[in-house]
Structure formats: C-alpha cells, structure tokens
Amino acid sequence: MATIGLDKLFYSKITENENGEETYATPIPLAKAMTAELSIELAEATLYADDGASEIVKEFQSGTLTLGIDDIGTAVAENLTGAKIDSNKVLISAGEDGGCPVAVGFRAKKSNGKYRYFWLYRVKFGIPATNLTTKGESIEFSTPSIEGTVTRRNKPDSQGKHPWKAEVNEDDTAVNSTTISNWYKQVYEPVYSVG
C-alpha cells in the first residue's frame, strides 16, 4: 500500500561490548522528518552449471539512508556526527570527527490512515548538508539533510542471523498491539517462535 506521510523520527545510541555486539539506549527524537530515502546494495553471485544459471545468491551488503529534516540541533549533531559542543555552546566540527553508529526508527503513514513502522539497526551518519538561499521575492525554506550508511548489526538474533532492518504494518491482523505501542520505547528485538 502506498505511503502518504512520514513522522516520528527517533534514534538510539549504541553501546558495544568487547565482541562488538550492540546494546541500544532508550530511543530519543532525532528531528522532525520531511523525507527518508533508503537505497540498498546487494552482494550477488551466480553459479553457472550445464550451460545455465544453477544457483543465484543475493544478500544485503549495505544501504544508504538520506534524511531530510527540519533542523538537526546541536545535541543531536554531536551524537550523530562526532562534532563537539564547546564551553560557549557552539558546535565545532573537526576533520577528525567521526560519529558512532546509532539505530534509527520512523514510521510512514499509509493511504488507509494506518502506519508502517521501521527500525534500522546500525546507521553511521556523515556531516549534514546545508543548503542556504538568500531571501528573494517569495519565501523559500532551506533545510538540512543528513546521509548515513546502513549496515547489518554485529549482534546476532536468536537464529544466528545479523538483522539490518525491522519493519511492521500496524494494520496487519497478526501483529500484537503491544509491538506497536512499544515501538519507540526501545529498539525492536526480533522474537521467534520455538518449534
């Protein structure tokens, strides 16, 4: 179903243990979302046998998340990009900066009024792009965008796989209502039935 909206953009700081496995902090708002574009790169391999394709493997390699936002704010910029706030509350970006990965969650409104919810488990952002325009005869808004690289997380789920995204439709009749109501209380962890 088509989506007609985007809101509730959150991020969660990641702490890694000695094995690099992630623990997620309580999610906090990132900014007001205007656009979110997710593009995916796949690793592909084809095995040829008997003059034809015998096996084809396509696996997630990485992705790019580009967010159009209203304003990133200095505290969020510090968390996402590694820039530092000095004693005078000025955000200082240095050539040596490098942000730590975070989880990113958001939801997209569908044409039936329900929502599709997302968590991207590991995103490392770069420096936000700034577009500035002089004021002319008509009003034009200039807003920042920020781009991050999406990778799979290091921590395996209970099936030994390394997820990179969680996605759920609010109006799927099989979805437990607490899954939706808890979506922004913590980063969603996969749960599999035993059997």
Side-chain angles (χ1 to χ4, degrees):
M1 182 174 291
T3 58
I4 58 171
L6 173 69
D7 69 354
K8 290 202 163 239
L9 181 58
F10 279 67
Y11 75 100
S12 172
K13 293 169 98 176
I14 293 174
T15 304
E16 295 180 12
N17 67 14
E18 63 278 353
N19 297 325
E21 294 180 350
E22 299 86 355
T23 302
Y24 300 100
T26 302
I28 55 178
L30 193 152
K32 289 183 180 178
M34 294 169 31
T35 60
E37 181 182 330
L38 178 61
S39 58
I40 303 302
E41 291 184 35
L42 298 176
E44 298 183 38
T46 304
L47 174 67
Y48 292 94
D50 287 338
D51 294 333
S54 174
E55 293 185 41
I56 299 173
V57 176
K58 294 186 179 198
E59 293 182 353
F60 172 80
Q61 185 175 6
S62 67
T64 301
L65 176 66
T66 305
L67 297 173
I69 51 181
D70 70 331
D71 185 21
I72 193 167
T74 55
V76 173
E78 183 178 42
N79 288 332
L80 298 186
T81 68
K84 298 294 179 214
I85 299 172
D86 76 2
S87 307
N88 294 318
K89 305 302 180 207
V90 175
L91 183 68
I92 306 297
S93 297
E96 297 79 13
D97 291 347
C100 296
V102 296
V104 176
F106 52 92
R107 68 181 188 173
K109 190 172 189 178
K110 301 185 333 178
S111 57
N112 67 358
K114 300 296 183 180
Y115 289 91
R116 181 177 299 141
Y117 291 80
F118 298 86
W119 272 110
L120 301 174
Y121 286 112
R122 191 174 179 89
V123 182
K124 185 161 181 160
F125 285 101
I127 304 300
T130 304
N131 300 309
L132 304 172
T133 306
T134 189
K135 185 176 172 185
E137 292 181 16
S138 61
I139 296 173
E140 277 186 55
F141 288 104
S142 295
T143 57
S145 63
I146 188 166
E147 186 175 281
T149 301
V150 180
T151 56
R152 70 179 200 159
R153 72 181 192 181
N154 298 321
K155 179 182 175 183
D157 62 19
S158 63
Q159 294 188 329
K161 296 184 179 182
H162 299 86
W164 65 274
K165 176 178 78 166
E167 179 179 344
V168 67
N169 287 301
E170 174 183 25
D171 57 344
D172 186 334
T173 56
V175 173
N176 187 322
S177 63
T178 58
T179 299
I180 302 301
S181 63
N182 290 329
W183 198 256
Y184 293 108
K185 292 180 181 173
Q186 61 186 18
V187 175
Y188 180 79
E189 283 292 332
V191 178
Y192 297 102
S193 299
V194 178

